[in-house]
């Protein structure tokens, strides 16, 4: 009797090994893709949270909130900051952001008549921005308050797999002036 394996046994073993290897590599690629999607979502969320807190901090100590005549919708807000400078936050369009990718928008900050600068990171794809202002009329008697709503989408993933993030915060004016009552 001869020792060894037959050709049929070797072909079956190689076939099983190839099948198991293909499944393992496929699972590895799925895990890597999932990890990249989670990383992109976390990065976007961190950037949006930081941006909202930065804007909220400046609005909190600001005065004279206004939207009328600045833009056609609620995507911008103008006020006077703690240093007495006129600040405008708005939704930037193509070309105004650090990246020049069609359809990519960012949140812009303009101080006085200077060139608007992006306050969101290039990794944040801003879909919409809305400032909802209340309490600025002399007749309502409420403390001025601004609600900021921003919708972003995670970058770096195919369109059907992108993650939509909606963040919102409400800021009350820290100081009530006689003009606001």
């Amino acid at each position: 009797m001869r020792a060894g394996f037959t050709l049929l046994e070797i072909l079956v073993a190689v076939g099983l090994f190839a099948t198991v290897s293909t499944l393992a590599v496929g699972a590895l690629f799925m895990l890597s893709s999932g990890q990249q999607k989670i990383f992109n979502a976390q990065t976007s969320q961190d950037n949006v949270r930081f941006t909202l807190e930065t804007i909220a901090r400046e609005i909190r100590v600001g005065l004279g909130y206004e939207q009328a005549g600045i833009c056609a919708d609620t995507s911008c807000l103008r006020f006077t900051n703690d240093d007495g400078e006129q600040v405008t936050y708005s939704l930037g369009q193509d070309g105004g952001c650090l990246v020049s990718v069609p359809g990519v928008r960012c949140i812009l900050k303009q101080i006085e008549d200077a060139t608007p600068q992006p306050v969101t990171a290039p990794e944040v794809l801003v879909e919409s921005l809305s400032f909802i202002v209340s309490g600025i009329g002399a007749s309502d008697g409420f403390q001025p308050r601004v609600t900021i709503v921003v919708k972003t989408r995670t970058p770096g993933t195919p369109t059907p797999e992108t993650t939509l993030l909606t963040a919102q915060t409400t800021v009350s004016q820290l100081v009530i002036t006689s003009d606001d009552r």
Side-chain angles (χ1 to χ4, degrees):
M1 195 158 167
R2 298 174 76 186
F5 297 105
T6 65
L7 181 60
L8 183 60
E9 291 171 334
I10 291 174
L11 286 175
V12 169
V14 168
L16 284 173
F17 176 75
T19 302
V20 170
S21 297
T22 302
L23 291 174
V25 169
L28 186 62
F29 282 137
M30 294 269 300
L31 287 173
S32 176
S33 172
Q35 186 224 9
Q36 185 64 40
K37 182 178 176 183
I38 290 169
F39 175 77
N40 287 339
Q42 184 66 43
T43 300
S44 182
Q45 186 178 32
D46 290 345
N47 283 322
V48 169
R49 189 179 317 123
F50 177 76
T51 300
L52 277 179
E53 185 55 38
T54 302
I55 294 171
R57 192 176 316 121
E58 190 165 28
I59 290 173
R60 189 172 294 117
V61 295
L63 300 169
Y65 308 131
E66 60 178 313
Q67 286 182 298
I70 301 169
C71 58
D73 55 11
T74 61
S75 67
C76 58
L77 175 71
R78 180 180 294 151
F79 61 95
T80 303
N81 69 7
D82 198 31
D83 296 328
E85 301 168 319
Q86 190 125 80
V87 176
T88 304
Y89 282 102
S90 61
L91 181 62
Q93 303 299 327
D94 298 336
C97 304
L98 290 176
V99 291
S100 57
V101 178
V104 172
R105 300 187 292 180
C106 62
I107 299 175
L108 296 174
K109 176 183 179 181
Q110 181 177 6
I111 300 176
E112 300 288 340
D113 292 327
T115 304
Q117 298 296 317
V119 293
T120 49
E123 298 85 28
V124 178
L125 310 177
V126 180
E127 288 202 347
S128 68
L129 172 68
S130 181
F131 294 97
I132 302 159
V133 183
S134 61
I136 57 173
S139 62
D140 65 9
F142 293 110
Q143 181 176 3
R145 181 174 55 208
V146 178
T147 300
I148 309 164
V149 181
V150 62
K151 291 183 182 178
T152 63
R153 194 165 289 284
T154 56
T157 55
T159 305
E161 296 181 9
T162 59
T163 303
L164 181 65
L165 170 67
T166 302
Q168 173 180 321
T169 189
T170 300
V171 184
S172 294
Q173 181 177 308
L174 195 59
V175 178
I176 299 176
T177 63
S178 60
D179 296 340
D180 295 327
R181 290 189 175 202

